Amino acid sequence: RGDVYLKIFLYNPAHITRAVGLFASGSITGEPVQAYEAHIPLNLQFMLDYRLYGMGYLHLAAAKFRMPVRQRLSSVASPPSVVFPTQVPPAQRVWTTALVNGSLVSSLSRNSSCEVEVDVTSLPL
């Protein structure tokens, strides 16, 4: 008999513990099913699934900014281009309100204290 593996995605990660309990008790399949990787926090699992490492840059094809972003650049004389060329030093790769037009604005409000907060699907990663 071969082993069967399922990868189950939940819309709300808060339900992971309950789903693991139901599978482990046999309530769903009639026999207990062992869960793998259910103990890994969602953020870390996301990074593992999409091969994202450490504190490197993310190169995104599309993203929506949660407002507000910085009003202006404090230490840079002229704003960088929207597609930051490799010649632009990392310290000058800063998003400001001048660079974020209406099509790049998310309908959701910010909920962190990060410098930039964006919404992105996994497809452009």
Side-chain angles (χ1 to χ4, degrees):
R1 151 187 134 131
D3 291 328
V4 175
Y5 291 91
L6 299 173
K7 182 159 188 165
I8 299 173
F9 296 92
L10 299 176
Y11 181 73
N12 186 344
H15 298 291
I16 290 175
T17 304
R18 183 166 184 226
V20 168
L22 289 171
F23 275 102
S25 69
S27 299
I28 295 177
T29 61
E31 60 183 65
V33 176
Q34 181 179 357
Y36 295 95
E37 298 181 357
H39 65 285
I40 300 175
L42 177 68
N43 294 343
L44 180 57
Q45 185 65 53
F46 176 83
M47 291 178 71
L48 291 170
D49 288 346
Y50 290 98
R51 294 187 173 105
L52 301 174
Y53 305 102
M55 299 294 291
Y57 288 106
L58 285 177
H59 299 278
L60 303 172
K64 299 267 186 179
F65 287 82
R66 291 188 180 194
M67 298 303 277
V69 294
R70 287 184 179 188
Q71 293 299 315
R72 59 186 163 77
L73 298 172
S74 55
S75 62
V76 180
S78 60
S81 62
V82 173
V83 177
F84 298 117
T86 54
Q87 310 86 285
V88 176
Q92 294 181 9
R93 297 177 190 174
V94 179
W95 286 96
T96 65
T97 345
L99 298 174
V100 178
N101 61 35
S103 66
L104 295 175
V105 176
S106 172
S107 61
L108 302 172
S109 58
R110 292 176 61 109
N111 57 354
S112 77
S113 59
C114 295
E115 188 171 330
V116 175
E117 192 170 325
V118 297
D119 294 319
V120 63
T121 64
S122 59
L123 293 176
L125 286 177

